[in-house]
Amino acid sequence: VDYMKSYMRKGLKPSDQYLYLEWVGKGHWDTIFPHHFRTVYDNKELLIRFTNTINNSQFVSSALSLTREFWPNGKMPDETQPISFLFFSKDARGYNPIIIDLLYAYELHNKDELVNMLAHEAHHYYRNKILVFKELAEDNPDHLIIHTLNQVHLEGIADQIDKVQSLANPLNANRS
């Protein structure tokens, strides 16, 4: 939490801008976070308008229909997943609630990509609702194989929703 506060201060607090510029000059990898926060701040009106264009049930309905196509027998839990837009980095997470970085959503090329990304994260959300196994302790000799199988199941199916084009044509990929 403290590191995020530090990134936000460097990105948003004018008196700390010199720290951000120092980081950039030294090539620190984590300048991406303050830069992200600054970009969100500089584009807040645009992002507010953008939220009004995506805040509709058709957007969510389209994403859930796509998620359902990759679900066994198309039978997902009936519950609708909560979605929160916030800013943290150019990413999204299939947590409860699903979180999507607003700037990341805005910068996707078109609404179809946004629907695909939400469908991917919704798959994670619903999968976690029905998951019946627990990760093994790291000192368990089977930990690595179970973890690997879980990751293949977790991302292998969800990636078929929104990554097929980038896997087929990596030169045109917008996400990895």
Side-chain angles (χ1 to χ4, degrees):
V1 174
D2 286 340
Y3 66 92
M4 287 303 278
K5 286 181 185 176
S6 169
Y7 294 147
M8 291 177 114
R9 271 195 300 276
K10 287 176 181 76
L12 301 174
K13 189 175 172 190
S15 61
D16 282 350
Q17 285 296 297
Y18 74 95
L19 294 172
Y20 170 68
L21 295 173
E22 261 182 32
W23 274 9
V24 170
K26 292 178 182 176
H28 280 269
W29 68 270
D30 55 358
T31 56
I32 191 168
F33 297 108
H35 176 74
H36 184 76
F37 297 140
R38 184 80 234 174
T39 303
V40 168
Y41 180 79
D42 290 343
N43 292 285
K44 63 184 172 187
E45 296 302 322
L46 178 70
L47 294 171
I48 289 168
R49 286 192 306 273
F50 174 66
T51 60
N52 294 330
T53 68
I54 60 172
N55 189 14
N56 66 56
S57 59
Q58 182 181 5
F59 163 73
V60 174
S61 176
S62 297
L64 292 180
S65 292
L66 185 55
T67 304
R68 197 169 284 107
E69 290 178 28
F70 291 85
W71 204 256
N73 301 323
K75 295 181 180 176
M76 291 188 321
D78 289 333
E79 144 193 2
T80 301
Q81 81 282 8
I83 303 168
S84 295
F85 288 93
L86 46 112
F87 62 97
F88 58 101
S89 70
K90 290 185 181 181
D91 208 348
R93 296 282 186 252
Y95 300 149
N96 185 6
I98 290 175
I99 59 171
I100 301 171
D101 182 85
L102 190 57
L103 182 61
Y104 172 62
Y106 174 77
E107 290 180 348
L108 289 173
H109 296 296
N110 59 52
K111 199 162 187 167
D112 288 341
E113 288 184 17
L114 187 56
V115 167
N116 291 346
M117 181 265 297
L118 177 57
H120 175 110
E121 299 306 333
H123 186 277
H124 291 323
Y125 172 85
Y126 286 114
R127 176 191 177 267
N128 290 340
K129 287 285 186 187
I130 65 165
L131 198 60
V132 293
F133 95 101
K134 294 192 186 313
E135 280 279 341
L136 300 176
E138 287 187 22
D139 61 353
N140 186 306
D142 295 327
H143 166 74
L144 289 177
I145 189 69
I146 296 299
H147 178 75
T148 300
L149 290 171
N150 181 47
Q151 287 303 111
V152 167
H153 187 256
L154 175 70
E155 293 297 341
I157 296 170
D159 282 354
Q160 292 178 53
I161 296 171
D162 69 335
K163 307 278 189 318
V164 172
Q165 291 302 318
S166 52
L167 291 172
N169 189 357
L171 296 177
N172 292 330
N174 70 334
R175 286 187 63 184
S176 56

